[in-house]
Amino acid sequence: MFTALLMAGMANVFKSSVHTFTAVNETMGAQRTNRWAMDQLSDDISQAGMVFPDRALPSFIISGSESLFSITPGAVVANVARVSDTNPAATEAEVVNADILQFFTDAPLPVSGFWAADTPGDNPNPGGTPSAAPASAAVDFKLGAPTDLKAGDVMVILDSGEYGNWEHPLISGGANPVVFETDATKIANYTATPISPGITLAHKKDVPVYFIRPAQLVRYAVVSVALDPANTAVRLPCLVRQQANYPTAGTVDWTTVPTQIIAENVEGFRVDLSFDGGTTWARTTGAPTTWAAIQANADAQLATKGLPGWTKVTDPSKPDWFRGITCLIRVDITTRAPIRREEYSPTLGTRAYRTRTQTLMISSRNFGVGK
C-alpha cells in the first residue's frame, strides 16, 4: 500500500513536470514565431510609402481604386478548422478575426552589381565623351541575377546623383546586357513627370547599380492554410504577405497573388495608427470596425496636430497622404500553441490554446518626407 501511494505521488509529480515542460516549450515556440513575424513586419513597414527616386505618381495610381494605405479591421478568416477536441478523426470550425494591412511602396530588389564597362552619353559626366547613349548596358551582377528582374523594374546608377541628375532608367526585362525601356506608355506608367528613355550620362566601369520594383502594393492578412498534407481538412490561421503591381485599372485580385507565410497559428493581427506619438490611437476611440471610422478618428487627431496642408488622411487630392504626414504604427500579433490543452483553459474540463501577444511600434522612415 505504501509503495502504491508513493508511486501514485511520483506519477503525479512526473505528469506535472511533463505538462510544465510542454507548456514552456510551446510558449517559447509561440514567442519565436512572434519574433520572426515582428522582424519581417519591421523591415516591411519601415519601407512603407517609399517612392524612390522621388517622383510624381501617375494618375492611375493617384486616382486608382486601390488604397495606398488602409487597415481593414476584424476581417473574418474563412475556413479555419482544427482537430476536434473529442474526436481526433474529425475537425471543428474556428472563428478567427484579424486585420488586413495594405500599403504602397517601391520595393528594393535583392539584385545589385557594378557597371561592367565604360559607356558614353549624350550629356556626359566630367571625363565622359559626348556620344550616343547606348540602348543597353552590361552589369556585373554580385547579388541576384538578371532573371530576378522584370520588365518595368528600375535601375538606379549610383554615380549620377553627385552631379545633381539621377539616372534611373526603366528596363524591359531580365537580361544581361540590361536593355532600357523605350515604350513611352510604359515609361508614363512609372511617373507623371516626363523622363527620357534609357540613359543620357556617361558612366564609368565599376559604378554600383541596384534595382527597384516600383509601384507595389504589399498586403498582410491572416488566411487559413492546410499545412498538413495528410489531413487537408485541418486549416490553420497563418499570417501571410502578398505583393502585387499597382493595377493600371481596376483592383488586385488577391486570391490569385502568391502568398508568403510569415507566421503560423496566428490568432490575432491588429494594426493601429497614432499621430501624436502614441498618446491617442485612431481606432480606440469608439472602437471603429471600418477603415472609414479609423480615418475619421485620424482626421480628428490631425485637425489639431497636423501640419498646414496636411490635416486629413481623407483628402481626395492627397491619397498619398503619408508622404506629408508622419504617424506611429502599432502592430499586435497574437500567436497560439499548436495544441489545445486543459491546463490552458480557465474552465475545468475544457481545452484552450496558450497564446502570446507581442507589440511592434514603428514609424516608416518614408512617411512625412514630403513630395
Side-chain angles (χ1 to χ4, degrees):
M1 183 181 296
F2 175 77
T3 302
L5 291 173
L6 180 63
M7 293 298 292
M10 291 177 65
N12 282 331
V13 171
F14 179 73
K15 178 182 178 182
S16 177
S17 298
V18 169
H19 285 174
T20 301
F21 178 78
T22 301
V24 169
N25 277 347
E26 290 181 343
T27 300
M28 291 175 63
Q31 290 172 334
R32 281 194 299 270
T33 299
N34 275 352
R35 284 196 297 270
W36 165 254
M38 286 299 184
D39 287 345
Q40 174 71 48
L41 278 163
S42 178
D43 290 344
D44 244 3
I45 293 176
S46 68
Q47 296 282 6
M50 183 181 80
V51 177
F52 185 83
D54 194 28
R55 65 192 187 279
L57 298 176
S59 59
F60 77 87
I61 294 177
I62 293 298
S63 304
S65 300
E66 288 283 3
S67 174
L68 301 185
F69 187 97
S70 66
I71 301 166
T72 304
V76 176
V77 183
N79 304 320
V80 179
R82 65 170 184 259
V83 175
S84 171
D85 289 339
T86 57
N87 180 6
T91 59
E92 297 175 354
E94 291 187 289
V95 177
V96 176
N97 298 86
D99 290 359
I100 299 173
L101 171 65
Q102 178 175 305
F103 56 83
F104 175 91
T105 188
D106 286 351
L109 296 174
V111 183
S112 61
F114 298 90
W115 211 250
D118 291 356
T119 57
D122 299 321
N123 179 22
N125 288 336
T129 303
S131 180
S136 64
V139 174
D140 182 10
F141 286 90
K142 297 300 183 183
L143 180 65
T147 52
D148 297 323
L149 303 173
K150 296 180 179 179
D153 288 346
V154 177
M155 170 194 284
V156 181
I157 309 169
L158 294 182
D159 69 339
S160 50
E162 62 188 284
Y163 302 104
N165 183 18
W166 282 100
E167 290 257 82
H168 47 93
L170 270 68
I171 66 172
S172 63
N176 197 13
V178 178
V179 179
F180 303 125
E181 182 61 69
T182 58
D183 187 305
T185 300
K186 294 178 181 179
I187 294 174
N189 285 341
Y190 168 65
T191 175
T193 304
I195 61 173
S196 301
I199 61 174
T200 61
L201 301 177
H203 298 285
K204 293 292 186 179
K205 183 178 183 296
D206 293 332
V207 167
V209 298
Y210 70 98
F211 297 85
I212 288 174
R213 185 154 296 156
Q216 299 294 291
L217 284 177
V218 176
R219 185 178 191 260
Y220 280 90
V222 177
V223 301
S224 61
V225 182
L227 295 177
D228 184 357
N231 188 356
T232 56
V234 176
R235 299 183 64 88
L236 303 179
C238 297
L239 179 65
V240 301
R241 180 189 187 276
Q242 296 171 283
Q243 180 175 318
N245 293 328
Y246 195 99
T248 54
T251 59
V252 176
D253 181 1
W254 291 105
T255 62
T256 64
V257 178
T259 59
Q260 174 192 0
I261 296 177
I262 303 302
E264 301 172 8
N265 285 305
V266 176
E267 193 166 277
F269 178 65
R270 192 175 189 274
V271 186
D272 208 343
L273 301 176
S274 175
F275 299 91
D276 57 9
T279 301
T280 309
W281 293 96
R283 68 181 292 165
T284 53
T285 304
T289 56
T290 65
W291 172 230
I294 295 174
Q295 288 177 300
N297 287 338
D299 286 351
Q301 286 186 34
L302 288 167
T304 57
K305 298 177 174 64
L307 297 174
W310 298 95
T311 57
K312 287 187 175 183
V313 301
T314 56
D315 186 341
S317 68
K318 298 176 180 176
D320 53 345
W321 56 265
F322 47 81
R323 300 182 72 177
I325 300 176
T326 300
C327 70
L328 180 65
I329 301 172
R330 171 175 175 163
V331 179
D332 296 298
I333 297 181
T334 301
T335 52
R336 67 191 191 191
I339 300 174
R340 289 161 57 87
R341 300 184 186 277
E342 290 185 5
E343 54 264 38
Y344 300 155
S345 175
T347 305
L348 188 65
T350 63
R351 297 182 181 184
Y353 293 109
R354 168 158 289 191
T355 62
R356 283 293 181 270
T357 300
Q358 286 183 265
T359 299
L360 171 69
M361 300 278 196
I362 188 169
S363 292
S364 173
R365 54 178 172 261
N366 302 293
F367 279 34
V369 297
K371 58 184 295 187

